Amino acid sequence: MGTALLVAAGLAGVAGPAAAAPAAPAHASAASAAPAPAVTLAAASRPMLRQGSRGAAVTTLQKRLTALHYDVGGVDGIFGPSTHHAVVAFQKLNGLVRDGIVGPRTWAALDRPVVPKPKYTHPGYSLEANLTRQVVYLARNGVVVRILDASSGKASTPTPTGNWTVQRRINGWRQSDLGLLWRPNYFYRGYAVHGATSVPTHPASHGCVRVPVPAMDRLWATIGVGTPVHVYR
């Protein structure tokens, strides 16, 4: 699965936003998720933001994404790589351009976002990799508690779909025939959820599900051998 990180955590699907919100993508499932509470952010806090931005507006963005369970990594007023991936994951779920830039459309979607629900319910933690949306969900007792940006297998080396558990894992770098995997969590043969230094906005791995290295570091202690892993489209 090489550099492909299998962030095995795809949720059941996402529901459209509340009635006053912009129309959700046609492929969003209204039955699988509940609308988020409407939150109108002050106009003064809505400048164009991108990686490298700093200040109060970034803090506002990070707090909102954190409240929606995106893996920002921390609220520090600095638009770094983790905030960038959190924005991209949000854009993926809300049918927006996946550019990591917070402009008028992304700010508007943050007011009335799509809120995903897990497809499966387990006592304790589980992972779901939604290959259609290219995100991974960490769920607990049937509730999504973290959403991670992900990149699964490309068309020539697709990620297998199915229901498994984490069978083994390596606490460090693993050199495979296809590249380096950071802290891989293997769930089916050589397929794993792992960290990678490159997590594009589209399917690009050799079959695993990639997540950003810092995101895997934050996830590592929460999951373990036996954690359920669901991969679906």
Side-chain angles (χ1 to χ4, degrees), residues 212-229:
V213 166
M216 177 51 68
D217 287 341
R218 291 186 286 268
L219 182 65
W220 180 259
T222 302
I223 61 175
V225 172
T227 297
V229 176

Side-chain angles (χ1 to χ4, degrees), residues 26 31 37-38 43 46 59 68-69 72 86 99 109 126-127 222:
R46 292 175 177 248
T59 299
L68 294 171
H69 305 297
V72 172
D99 57 8
S126 61
L127 290 175
T222 302

Side-chain angles (χ1 to χ4, degrees), residues 18 60 75 102 138 231:
T60 297
V75 177
V102 183
L138 173 66
V231 184

Side-chain angles (χ1 to χ4, degrees), residues 32-219:
S32 61
V39 173
T40 301
L41 304 174
S45 68
R46 292 175 177 248
M48 185 84 72
L49 299 176
R50 66 186 72 209
Q51 194 160 190
S53 298
R54 292 172 176 253
V58 175
T59 299
T60 297
L61 170 68
Q62 291 173 328
K63 287 181 177 179
R64 180 59 174 153
L65 288 170
T66 298
L68 294 171
H69 305 297
Y70 287 88
D71 185 46
V72 172
V75 177
D76 59 6
I78 301 171
F79 198 131
S82 290
T83 299
H84 171 82
H85 282 290
V87 169
V88 170
F90 177 83
Q91 291 172 332
K92 287 176 175 180
L93 281 177
N94 285 270
L96 302 168
V97 175
R98 304 172 179 185
D99 57 8
I101 299 172
V102 183
R105 291 188 178 183
T106 298
W107 279 120
L110 283 163
D111 285 341
R112 291 182 177 274
V114 167
V115 177
K117 284 186 175 182
K119 189 173 182 179
Y120 300 88
T121 298
H122 297 276
Y125 290 103
S126 61
L127 290 175
E128 296 190 11
N130 186 325
L131 303 186
T132 299
R133 299 289 183 167
Q134 291 290 286
V135 293
V136 168
Y137 307 111
L138 173 66
R140 185 179 186 184
N141 301 323
V143 177
V144 175
V145 295
R146 196 175 310 169
I147 304 169
L148 299 88
D149 191 19
S151 177
S152 64
K154 55 191 174 184
S156 59
T157 54
T159 300
T161 58
N163 305 309
W164 297 282
T165 61
V166 174
Q167 300 295 316
R168 64 188 179 93
R169 45 196 224 142
I170 298 172
N171 188 9
W173 288 104
R174 198 268 178 173
Q175 177 68 61
S176 74
D177 293 339
L178 299 174
L180 282 170
L181 289 67
W182 174 246
R183 286 181 155 179
N185 293 265
Y186 294 95
F187 58 91
Y188 173 66
R189 297 180 178 176
Y191 295 90
V193 179
H194 66 87
T197 56
S198 174
V199 181
T201 61
H202 56 278
S205 81
H206 292 95
C208 287
V209 175
R210 304 177 188 177
V211 296
V213 166
M216 177 51 68
D217 287 341
R218 291 186 286 268
L219 182 65

